[in-house]
């Protein structure tokens, strides 16, 4: 079983709509959750992080965490063509405890915003 | 505040050679992690250093090694290069183990 799973896509969303990206993880002990955006040929860029159950909003981005169901999602409102990229979910690694917080990445979801 | 820097940005090496990549973390960050990214395997964790000590290690052969200096700068070395080592090598830093990571621009290594 993969430790962090994402739908590889591609996910196509019309401009102005809401893009919804999902991620599930296997380790119930995971404490920290991150979303990175990666444009083709570039390095990953951190866009959101969330530690507690619930929603966290930052501009057009909302991260949602549900530890009981072991999933984290990213919503992008008013999607723009510049949001077209691969989105990587990252979670603290299996058996995570203070001092062993290895990040495990999903394989990423490719998002395309259609003008 | 300056971001994570990596040198060199591009590198072409021949099979059997060795290579050393360098990473300077964001000022004040004491943790440096290294990743390998390829189209087929995605982002693979190599190792992480914190205060000059290796704290975590991924599933890579011993040809891949690293170290961290007292100023938190880090180097990664790959010996006896193989064609399959062609990849984007990314360095990421964070203030401490429990905080978010920020990536550098990467070093694109091509092994011929």
């Amino acid at each position: 079983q993969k430790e962090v799973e994402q739908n590889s896509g591609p996910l196509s969303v019309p401009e102005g709509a809401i893009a919804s990206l999902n991620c599930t993880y296997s380790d119930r002990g995971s404490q920290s959750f991150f979303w990175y955006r990666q444009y083709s040929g570039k390095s990953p860029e951190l866009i959101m992080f969330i530690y507690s159950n619930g929603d966290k909003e930052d501009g057009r981005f909302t991260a949602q965490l549900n530890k009981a169901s072991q999933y984290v999602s990213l919503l992008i409102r008013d999607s723009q063509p510049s949001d077209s990229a691969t989105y990587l979910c990252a979670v603290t690694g299996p058996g995570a405890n203070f001092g062993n917080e290895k990040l495990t990445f999903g394989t990423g979801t490719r998002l395309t915003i259609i003008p | 505040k300056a971001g994570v820097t990596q040198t060199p940005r591009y590198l072409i090496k021949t099979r059997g050679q060795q290579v050393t990549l360098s990473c300077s973390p964001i000022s004040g960050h004491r943790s440096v992690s290294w990743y390998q990214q390829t189209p087929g395997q995605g982002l693979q964790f190599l190792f992480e250093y914190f205060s000059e000590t290796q704290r975590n290690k991924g599933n890579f052969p011993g040809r891949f090694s690293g170290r961290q200096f007292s100023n938190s700068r880090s180097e990664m070395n790959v010996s006896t290069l193989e064609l399959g080592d062609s990849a984007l090598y990314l360095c990421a830093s964070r203030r401490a183990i429990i905080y978010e990571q920020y990536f550098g621009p990467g070093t694109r290594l091509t092994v011929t």
Side-chain angles (χ1 to χ4, degrees), chain A residues 32 34 36 38 41-46 49 51 88 98-103 105-106, chain B residues 35 37 43 45 48 55-56 88 90 94 97-106 108:
Chain A
S32 307
F34 308 87
Y36 288 83
Q38 187 173 25
K42 302 293 186 181
S43 63
E45 173 192 8
L46 179 68
F49 57 89
Y51 302 135
L88 299 164
F98 185 77
N100 189 31
E101 301 288 342
K102 179 172 76 78
L103 276 184
F105 284 82
Chain B
Y35 296 86
Q37 188 173 39
L43 202 59
F45 173 76
E48 178 170 24
R55 299 301 297 265
N56 288 296
L88 179 66
L90 292 158
R94 48 184 172 175
I97 293 292
I98 61 174
Y99 295 103
E100 62 277 9
Q101 283 189 353
Y102 297 89
F103 283 86
R108 174 76 60 184

Side-chain angles (χ1 to χ4, degrees), chain B residues 33-44:
Chain B
S33 295
W34 288 90
Y35 296 86
Q36 181 196 68
Q37 188 173 39
T38 59
Q41 297 296 318
L43 202 59
Q44 303 282 308

Side-chain angles (χ1 to χ4, degrees), chain A residues 28-45:
Chain A
R28 283 195 170 275
S30 297
Q31 297 291 325
S32 307
F33 307 85
F34 308 87
W35 283 100
Y36 288 83
R37 176 177 64 197
Q38 187 173 25
Y39 293 114
S40 181
K42 302 293 186 181
S43 63
E45 173 192 8

Side-chain angles (χ1 to χ4, degrees), chain B residues 28-67:
Chain B
H29 286 197
R30 298 168 63 191
S31 165
V32 172
S33 295
W34 288 90
Y35 296 86
Q36 181 196 68
Q37 188 173 39
T38 59
Q41 297 296 318
L43 202 59
Q44 303 282 308
F45 173 76
L46 281 155
F47 28 67
E48 178 170 24
Y49 287 86
F50 180 74
S51 294
E52 301 179 67
T53 301
Q54 188 178 91
R55 299 301 297 265
N56 288 296
K57 189 175 188 303
N59 296 322
F60 277 81
R63 300 186 296 109
F64 293 82
S65 63
R67 59 177 174 168

Side-chain angles (χ1 to χ4, degrees), chain A residues 10-19 60 76 78-85 87 110-115:
Chain A
L11 176 65
S12 296
V13 173
E15 183 176 356
I18 296 175
R60 296 187 296 111
I76 306 174
D78 188 24
S79 296
Q80 303 296 311
S82 60
D83 295 326
S84 296
Y87 289 80
R110 188 171 170 187
L111 174 67
T112 300
I113 306 301
I114 304 168

